Amino acid sequence: MYKIASIGGDGIGPEIIAEGKKVLDAAGQRFSFDIDWTDFDIGAERYLSSGLLLTDDDLRDLGKFKAIYFGAIGDERVMPGILEKGILLRIRFHFDQYVNLRPIRLLKGVSTPLAGKGPEDINFMVVRENTEDFYVGIGSRFRGSEKKILEIERELYHATFGLDIQSDAEELAYQIGVITREGARRVISYAFELAGTRRKKLTSVDKANVLSDVYGLWREVFSSVAADHPDITTEFTFVDAVTMWFVKNPEWFDVVVTPNMFGDIITDLGAMIQGGLGLAPGANINPGGTSMFEPIHGSAPKYRGMNVANPVATIWAGSMLLDQLGEHEAASAIVQAIERSIADGVVTRDMGGTAGTSDVGSYVARAILEK
Ligand code: IPM
Ligand code: MG
């Protein structure tokens, strides 16, 4: 018996989570485990009616679970950033989910925009650092005439422009990226371990040629962890270059490890080469704590309640959830059942089909039970 928390959230979130639960329950039936779901009412509706994003009670209650199954948040009535930072990023940071694991894998039967590439070419994992870098939320905006200017801001102002900071016409904004030795070590170690279970190749992605303080430290840590893993082949690449190679030679990659913001960017690129955002799952992992599993796409409010959203990314995230709980057989049965639904043409509009969200969920669930 597993106790799992679920947050449907906004837009298409509740529909895709419903299909994911259907599939995970089927996997439980087939592989002899039960799931006890606890649903949390968190998202735009509650925020709009009560002003609450995440309460201390929410966080305390969610902390009792090893896994959270998360749909999506984002609503056209709420200013961009409020729900993203107040809910999604808050959960990632609060539970110290320092690994954001995103498989970039072209499933059988899915078409990719990359000419001449197939499932044997597109099969790698991105390990995105998930608690540091430019996501730490340290930044500010100020005008020259504002009285309370921190020393660091004063320095920045002069370093950047050498301007007269007394002038009201001048305005400046900055955001600080932070990498800590331990923050880098733990996620890089995770990536080395993962590469050891795969094709034994690890690529580090950064921008150490320009942002040399933060990513200089990142490289130093990478090299020191690499020394403990002589069986893994390693390479450093710059983030701008890696976007070229993802498109031209995706088969070069096995495991890719990268700081938070570059990981955000290159996994959207990865999602496209694996067939689209409707097919891209992600896991926010704290190996010893509470992890969260989600599709990497957003809440697509304009498709809310229409039964047209592709539930595959969410179902696949559910497979990652079971894998994290140690149900490896059930996890791979889910991915096989997704491939079966694609082979049989039971796919949603974004993949050229006519099936509804719930048709896909039911089909995948049945494929698991029939095996
Ligand atoms: C993602 C998303 C989030 C991120 C947003 C919604 C805060 O783009 O999961 O990739 O930037 O991490
Ligand atoms: Mg993103």
Side-chain angles (χ1 to χ4, degrees), residues 244-322:
M244 299 194 299
W245 305 129
F246 272 17
V247 171
K248 188 157 190 299
N249 295 106
E251 67 280 0
W252 285 354
F253 299 101
D254 179 22
V255 179
V256 171
V257 66
T258 184
N260 207 343
M261 191 171 75
F262 298 146
D264 176 44
I265 298 165
I266 67 176
T267 53
D268 267 22
L269 174 58
M272 269 308 135
I273 71 176
Q274 73 186 127
L277 274 173
L279 292 150
N284 303 273
I285 300 173
N286 175 336
T290 299
S291 299
M292 174 168 63
F293 303 82
E294 54 168 345
I296 83 168
H297 61 69
S299 62
K302 68 177 172 188
Y303 298 124
R304 172 186 14 231
M306 290 166 63
N307 197 36
V308 296
N310 190 346
V312 166
T314 307
I315 295 172
W316 191 347
S319 157
M320 297 180 82
L321 186 160
L322 293 184

Side-chain angles (χ1 to χ4, degrees), residues 84 88-89 92 102 128 135 264 294:
E84 291 85 344
L88 184 62
L89 296 182
R92 289 180 185 169
R102 298 185 162 184
R128 167 186 175 189
Y135 277 65
D264 176 44
E294 54 168 345

Side-chain angles (χ1 to χ4, degrees), residues 82-272:
I82 306 250
L83 300 164
E84 291 85 344
K85 288 202 270 187
I87 298 175
L88 184 62
L89 296 182
R90 179 106 193 270
I91 294 176
R92 289 180 185 169
F93 277 75
H94 179 85
F95 293 112
D96 201 19
Q97 294 163 346
Y98 63 87
V99 172
N100 192 328
L101 185 62
R102 298 185 162 184
I104 309 298
R105 175 174 159 199
L106 183 66
L107 297 181
K108 268 187 260 149
V110 176
S111 56
T112 169
L114 301 190
K117 302 292 180 189
E120 63 292 349
D121 303 307
I122 301 171
N123 183 2
F124 61 94
M125 296 290 241
V126 175
V127 175
R128 167 186 175 189
E129 200 289 322
N130 214 24
T131 59
E132 301 197 328
D133 201 33
F134 289 96
Y135 277 65
V136 293
I138 303 175
S140 185
R141 287 176 64 151
F142 68 98
R143 283 179 186 280
S145 66
E146 279 172 25
K147 290 284 173 283
K148 287 185 64 186
I149 295 177
L150 299 173
E151 224 27 66
I152 185 172
E153 293 171 334
R154 205 179 287 276
E155 245 175 71
L156 262 167
Y157 223 119
H158 282 299
T160 318
F161 304 110
L163 294 169
D164 169 16
I165 60 166
Q166 301 308 312
S167 159
D168 207 11
E170 305 307 335
E171 193 169 3
L172 180 147
Y174 67 88
Q175 198 92 39
I176 290 180
V178 175
I179 299 286
T180 65
R181 183 170 287 278
E182 175 53 19
R185 190 207 56 78
R186 61 187 187 172
V187 73
I188 289 169
S189 299
Y190 184 96
F192 270 101
E193 299 291 327
L194 180 62
T197 67
R198 294 175 51 97
R199 301 193 303 276
K200 300 197 166 27
K201 182 175 174 195
L202 181 60
T203 305
S204 169
V205 172
D206 62 46
K207 189 75 187 173
N209 49 344
V210 178
L211 305 170
S212 45
D213 289 308
V214 277
Y215 304 135
L217 175 57
W218 174 271
R219 282 200 175 201
E220 216 176 285
V221 174
F222 186 94
S223 299
S224 84
V225 180
D228 300 332
H229 297 269
D231 55 322
I232 309 287
T233 306
T234 60
E235 64 184 7
F236 287 115
T237 55
F238 296 130
V239 65
D240 46 350
V242 97
T243 61
M244 299 194 299
W245 305 129
F246 272 17
V247 171
K248 188 157 190 299
N249 295 106
E251 67 280 0
W252 285 354
F253 299 101
D254 179 22
V255 179
V256 171
V257 66
T258 184
N260 207 343
M261 191 171 75
F262 298 146
D264 176 44
I265 298 165
I266 67 176
T267 53
D268 267 22
L269 174 58
M272 269 308 135

Side-chain angles (χ1 to χ4, degrees), residues 342-356:
I342 295 165
D344 294 347
V346 183
V347 295
T348 44
R349 284 207 312 219
D350 55 308
M351 294 176 70
T354 55

